[in-house]
Amino acid sequence: MTTYRSKALLIALCAATAAAGLTATVPALADGPADTIGAQRPALSWHPCAKPGGPATQECAELPVPLDYDAPDGPQVSVAVSRIRSDRPEARRGTLVVLPGGPGGSGVQRLTQKGAALQKQLAGAYDLVSFDPRGVGGSTTAHCDLAPGDRYLTSLRAWPAPDGDISENVARSQRIAEACAKNGGPVLRSFTTANQVRDMDRLRETLGERKLSAWGVSYGTYVGAVYAQKFPERTDRWVLDSSGDPDPQRVARGWLANMSQGADDRLPDFAAWAAHPDREKDGLRFAQRPEDVAPRLQALAASLDRTPRPSTTPGVPLTGNGLRQALQNTLYSDAGFPAFAKLLASLQDPANTPALPPELAQPLRDEDAAQMVAVICNDVTWPRETTASFQRAVDEDRARHPFTAGMPVNVQPCSYWKSTPDEQPTKITANGPSNVLMVQSRRDPSTPHSKGLKMREALGDRAVLVTVEQGGHGLYLGNGNACGDRTVTQFLTTGKRPARDVTCAN
């Protein structure tokens, strides 16, 4: 489950070196109201960290948290945190935590990107806070020592061979699982949703807040839902933006599988845009009619399956699966349509050498690949099925959903993971305060509306759902519309929600 186009879709410490390389031990914090633990909270040492394009008042700090919460006085790891303080103290009512997508999204970067818009919308009602989950950005990281070829997005996303064969996917998944078991150590094993939730609560304690408000996007909605389930009395106003199915038996395995339907739901939006006469003047019209776009895309991907095109990145050709992955990324936001259309236009002339989208042109950092894999594998036990069983699932998915071509149901390193989860995933239920506002796109390529309804069903009377009648992933202050944005802003600033589930027309 990813949030923004190239993020979402985004140390080597053995047991002997982990304790030496981690931050100094700090006393465990009491699990009680904020006013009873003030003397025990480690002070955060805030320093300016403004970035170009972000708020000038953004600050950063490092929060020490236990490597293992069952041993709170043992080794600590560091979580990078960031805040933008309310510019209207008289209007301030609390702290809003921004939860990024992923696994692998940076909360610090997300706050930089959205901080100014949030300040404008929320009019000083909150201090804005976020953090990089373990393994991400400025927080303690781990690595698996994966070969570069195993760290491309088209490798980590298990695209089958052009003929549908998954032999190389099986071999790669086994290699990754072996490497992570050998090199990741206890730090890698600590990368879980449950620990991200605990780290978030440790941040709440350290900030001295009795309750938090939150805005979670994509995978961040699952983190937010788990926090609200574990600590319902510590939640104030909760926004879940672009939710997936919280099924505790499947978790990320279900999120991946659901992308097949998501791509099918969303593709007509790109088809209508790419066939519109307005594209003619820019040389970006891909077909004369919307219904011709999908067949042309399939034919183009098939031709690249047969004969990959050399790209402007030496040694990295554009393959059929590369085109399919680029399309998947594009569907997250209408803003990505022009760049993908330019790529398609460049492929029409055999003499052209296409430029790959940046997220496909080079491998992910080993630390980023390790974190992305570790969270989904550490959270829940994946089935250890036979190769033939995975092959059947891929064959069926390819027939039903040609644009995802079996990738969402293909084998993953998790099926060969060497460690088992320390705890069972949290079941999301209707037990808790009625303080959740969900916002969901009608045509979401990553978290389809039909699966967002599973989160809505699980939360019961705790939640109200706003369905935005358009396509895209990550709606509030992003790919939504004025109606959806207004509804979220009103809830965060006044506490008012619609009385029942509502729809925002496009």
Side-chain angles (χ1 to χ4, degrees):
M1 194 161 62
T2 51
T3 307
Y4 347 103
R5 284 185 64 221
S6 62
K7 297 296 181 188
L9 291 153
L10 75 59
I11 160 183
L13 293 174
C14 65
T17 61
L22 303 177
T23 60
T25 301
V26 298
L29 299 181
D31 185 14
D35 58 359
T36 69
I37 62 174
Q40 297 172 288
R41 289 195 305 271
L44 290 171
S45 180
W46 295 103
H47 59 87
C49 62
K51 302 293 184 184
T57 57
Q58 187 168 358
E59 299 175 295
C60 293
E62 294 184 358
L63 173 71
V65 297
L67 171 65
D68 180 356
Y69 277 89
D70 286 338
D73 295 322
Q76 305 284 295
V77 294
S78 178
V79 170
V81 300
S82 188
R83 74 176 177 186
I84 302 168
R85 304 194 74 168
S86 168
D87 55 0
R88 293 177 55 191
E90 72 282 0
R92 183 189 180 279
R93 63 173 309 278
T95 292
L96 175 76
V97 178
V98 177
L99 296 170
S106 165
V108 175
Q109 288 185 358
R110 184 67 170 166
L111 193 60
T112 299
Q113 295 163 351
K114 293 296 183 181
L118 284 168
Q119 283 182 303
K120 181 178 179 181
Q121 288 288 315
L122 303 181
Y126 298 93
D127 289 344
L128 308 174
V129 174
S130 195
F131 62 99
D132 286 349
R134 301 179 187 212
V136 175
S139 295
T140 297
T141 59
H143 58 85
C144 294
D145 288 343
L146 303 180
D150 289 341
R151 291 188 271 114
Y152 281 89
L153 189 54
T154 47
S155 301
L156 290 168
R157 290 282 176 87
W159 293 96
D163 63 356
D165 182 72
I166 67 169
S167 300
E168 179 52 34
N169 303 121
V170 171
R172 179 179 293 114
S173 293
Q174 291 172 339
R175 285 197 302 271
I176 291 174
E178 291 280 356
C180 289
K182 178 181 178 182
N183 302 313
V187 174
L188 188 80
R189 292 195 294 274
S190 80
F191 296 167
T192 64
T193 298
N195 276 337
Q196 185 172 338
V197 165
R198 294 184 183 103
D199 293 346
M200 179 176 164
D201 198 54
R202 180 59 58 95
L203 177 59
R204 176 197 63 80
E205 290 180 327
T206 307
L207 293 172
E209 296 284 4
R210 286 183 173 278
K211 293 185 177 183
L212 295 172
S213 293
W215 169 38
V217 181
S218 193
Y219 168 67
T221 66
Y222 180 65
V223 175
V226 172
Y227 186 96
Q229 191 67 42
K230 286 183 172 291
F231 307 114
E233 74 284 359
R234 301 173 190 173
T235 63
D236 187 7
R237 296 172 186 172
W238 227 245
V239 175
L240 305 183
D241 180 345
S242 304
S243 300
D245 185 349
D247 181 357
Q249 301 303 312
R250 290 169 61 83
V251 196
R253 183 162 59 99
W255 304 335
L256 280 168
N258 294 336
M259 292 174 69
S260 296
Q261 186 60 53
D264 289 351
D265 292 345
R266 174 66 162 146
L267 185 63
D269 291 337
F270 175 73
W273 183 93
H276 197 281
D278 286 354
R279 308 287 89 78
E280 203 81 64
K281 64 181 184 300
D282 297 319
L284 300 181
R285 193 174 188 187
F286 186 63
Q288 296 300 303
R289 303 180 304 167
E291 58 265 35
D292 295 331
V293 169
R296 288 199 66 192
L297 279 172
Q298 290 183 46
L300 184 55
S303 71
L304 291 169
D305 283 337
R306 294 187 296 270
T307 310
R309 286 275 288 273
S311 76
T312 56
T313 304
V316 186
L318 179 63
T319 64
N321 284 336
L323 187 71
R324 295 181 185 100
Q325 182 63 63
L327 173 62
Q328 180 67 33
N329 295 348
T330 295
L331 296 178
Y332 275 51
S333 171
D334 289 6
F337 290 178
F340 185 67
K342 289 178 182 177
L343 175 62
L344 297 178
S346 74
L347 294 171
Q348 304 309 305
D349 184 349
N352 284 339
T353 301
L356 296 175
E359 61 270 21
L360 302 185
Q362 59 187 359
L364 276 69
R365 291 193 322 149
D366 189 67
E367 295 88 346
D368 296 337
Q371 200 272 352
M372 186 171 75
V373 172
V375 174
I376 67 173
C377 297
N378 288 335
D379 267 4
V380 67
T381 300
W382 288 51
R384 301 184 184 275
E385 299 177 5
T386 64
T387 298
S389 178
F390 282 117
Q391 186 68 68
R392 284 193 298 272
V394 165
D395 292 344
E396 292 172 3
D397 190 81
R398 284 167 62 85
R400 292 195 191 102
H401 310 285
F403 287 103
T404 47
M407 175 272 290
V409 298
N410 203 356
V411 63
Q412 295 287 335
C414 307
S415 291
Y416 307 102
W417 210 240
K418 304 304 179 184
S419 58
T420 57
D422 291 332
E423 55 194 299
Q424 294 299 309
T426 298
K427 182 180 180 181
I428 307 304
T429 74
N431 298 324
S434 182
N435 62 354
V436 180
L437 180 68
M438 294 179 59
V439 58
Q440 196 87 14
S441 166
R442 178 69 72 181
R443 297 179 301 282
D444 188 316
S446 182
T447 54
H449 189 270
S450 58
K451 305 308 177 183
L453 292 178
K454 297 291 187 180
M455 179 71 85
R456 173 68 184 87
E457 179 182 0
L459 289 168
D461 290 341
R462 298 174 68 184
V464 171
L465 172 66
V466 179
T467 296
V468 179
E469 293 287 356
Q470 62 191 69
H473 182 68
L475 296 184
Y476 184 53
L477 307 182
N479 296 312
N481 63 18
C483 167
D485 287 356
R486 183 170 57 249
T487 305
V488 174
T489 296
Q490 182 182 51
F491 172 60
L492 289 175
T493 54
T494 71
K496 295 179 180 178
R497 290 183 308 178
R500 60 187 65 84
D501 294 353
V502 297
T503 296
C504 279
N506 190 10

